Each structure stands twice: as C-alpha cells, then as structure tokens.
Amino acid sequence: MKTELILLLYDSLIGGKKISRAEFCAEHSIVERTFYRYLREITVFLRAHRPSYIVDVAGREGVYFLKKV
C-alpha cells in the first residue's frame, strides 16, 4: 500500500495536479504524519533524479504541487 500511495502522489505531482493533504489523507485513510513521510520520500527522489523540481505547498491550505526551480 505504501508504494502504491507514493506512486499515486508522484504521478499526480508530475502530471501537474495539485494535491490537497486533507483530501488525500481522507480518501486513502492515512494520517497526516504518513502523508508527510510519503512526500519526504518523493522529495528525496526528486533531489537525486530531478533536481530542478521541488514539492511546494500553497499557504496554510495544505495544497501541494510540483514546482520547477
């Protein structure tokens, strides 16, 4: 399940979609701490293989997206 959820997050981000933390957690029955761990895994991957991209967050709403730096 972990790998599948990380891949779902990555696929959405690389596809240009925005991900709501609250909606993703509710939809997949995970807690926010797990969501943050999964995003950290994606961030580590991006640093190693796509360093021109970062995961960014829009304000306090908890909406995450991929940003080219």
Side-chain angles (χ1 to χ4, degrees):
M1 179 170 185
K2 173 185 175 180
T3 303
E4 182 178 344
L5 292 179
I6 291 173
L7 287 171
L8 285 171
L9 283 169
Y10 179 77
D11 186 55
S12 293
L13 290 169
I14 208 74
K17 296 179 184 172
K18 295 185 177 185
I19 301 169
S20 165
R21 178 185 61 237
E23 288 177 18
F24 190 87
C25 290
E27 182 178 334
H28 298 286
S29 301
I30 61 171
V31 296
E32 287 185 6
R33 184 177 173 104
T34 300
F35 179 83
Y36 292 130
R37 282 197 319 263
Y38 292 173
L39 276 184
R40 187 175 58 233
E41 293 288 331
I42 292 170
T43 299
V44 169
F45 175 82
L46 290 172
R47 283 185 190 147
H49 301 283
R50 291 183 176 246
S52 61
Y53 289 94
I54 60 168
V55 177
D56 203 359
V57 62
R60 295 179 156 248
E61 306 88 44
V63 176
Y64 294 81
F65 58 96
L66 203 58
K67 179 178 175 183
K68 188 164 179 134
V69 290

